[in-house]
Amino acid sequence: MRTNQLIIALFQRFCWLDEGLQARLHDLGWPDVSRPQSMVMTNIVSGIVRPSDIARNLGVSRQAIHSTINQMVKLGIVRLDVDPDDRRHMIVSLTETGARMRKDAQRAMDSLTAQIAARIGQDRFAALLDALEADWGDNIERAAKR
């Protein structure tokens, strides 16, 4: 089993995908966004809108997420508002500009997805998605106490 290669291969393919997305958005005239900014946008589009939830989902500090979100606010692609359901929290959402960028990003991802399927074959691509979407269970397995 090639267990040591798994994390490297997953990360390399993630970087390939993100770099392809960024290049396509750049070619369409969008401002360059960092990988953390890209991951924040992905969370927002997936419905994760509280900065603390985004931080938890990405495994980074709330301070790091707030810094990233503030950069994105300056770019005009997201905004921060008080959560109407719980005024103690903020929510982040796409601006009109961010929504247009998201549509272009979705088209870019559709193109990249088609490119991957064409390169590795539709059956292997479907198997890859099935494996990645499968329930892998809890991510921390505790050793039995002795």
Side-chain angles (χ1 to χ4, degrees):
M1 189 176 302
R2 304 177 329 195
T3 57
N4 292 341
Q5 295 171 302
L6 177 62
I7 196 164
I8 293 169
L10 286 171
F11 185 68
Q12 287 174 333
R13 296 314 176 258
F14 168 77
C15 290
W16 180 92
L17 195 60
D18 190 56
E19 289 165 10
L21 171 62
Q22 298 307 325
R24 283 163 176 76
L25 290 174
H26 179 82
D27 290 349
L28 292 170
W30 289 107
D32 292 335
V33 295
S34 66
R35 187 159 289 140
Q37 292 169 346
S38 179
M39 295 310 302
V40 167
M41 285 193 76
T42 300
N43 275 267
I44 295 167
V45 169
S46 298
I48 303 165
V49 296
R50 283 188 178 171
S52 58
D53 293 337
I54 294 171
R56 189 176 312 107
N57 194 40
L58 296 179
V60 299
S61 70
R62 290 186 316 183
Q63 294 83 357
I65 285 302
H66 280 288
S67 175
T68 300
I69 290 170
N70 288 334
Q71 294 165 4
M72 297 170 75
V73 167
K74 288 178 185 172
L75 288 172
I77 55 179
V78 300
R79 71 172 187 254
L80 266 174
D81 296 302
V82 174
D83 185 341
D85 297 327
D86 186 345
R87 300 192 62 77
R88 296 171 297 166
H89 296 280
M90 301 294 284
I91 57 171
V92 61
S93 59
L94 299 178
T95 62
E96 287 183 32
T97 299
R100 287 193 313 272
M101 184 181 197
R102 181 227 175 273
K103 286 182 183 177
D104 283 345
Q106 185 60 58
R107 283 192 287 275
M109 287 301 298
D110 291 346
S111 172
L112 288 163
T113 299
Q115 183 179 345
I116 295 166
R119 286 184 178 178
I120 69 172
Q122 191 60 47
D123 290 344
R124 289 176 73 191
F125 181 74
L128 172 64
L129 281 181
D130 286 345
L132 292 173
E133 292 173 346
D135 182 0
W136 292 10
D138 293 337
N139 74 343
I140 299 176
E141 228 177 87
R142 305 265 183 217
K145 293 186 179 185
R146 296 173 207 235

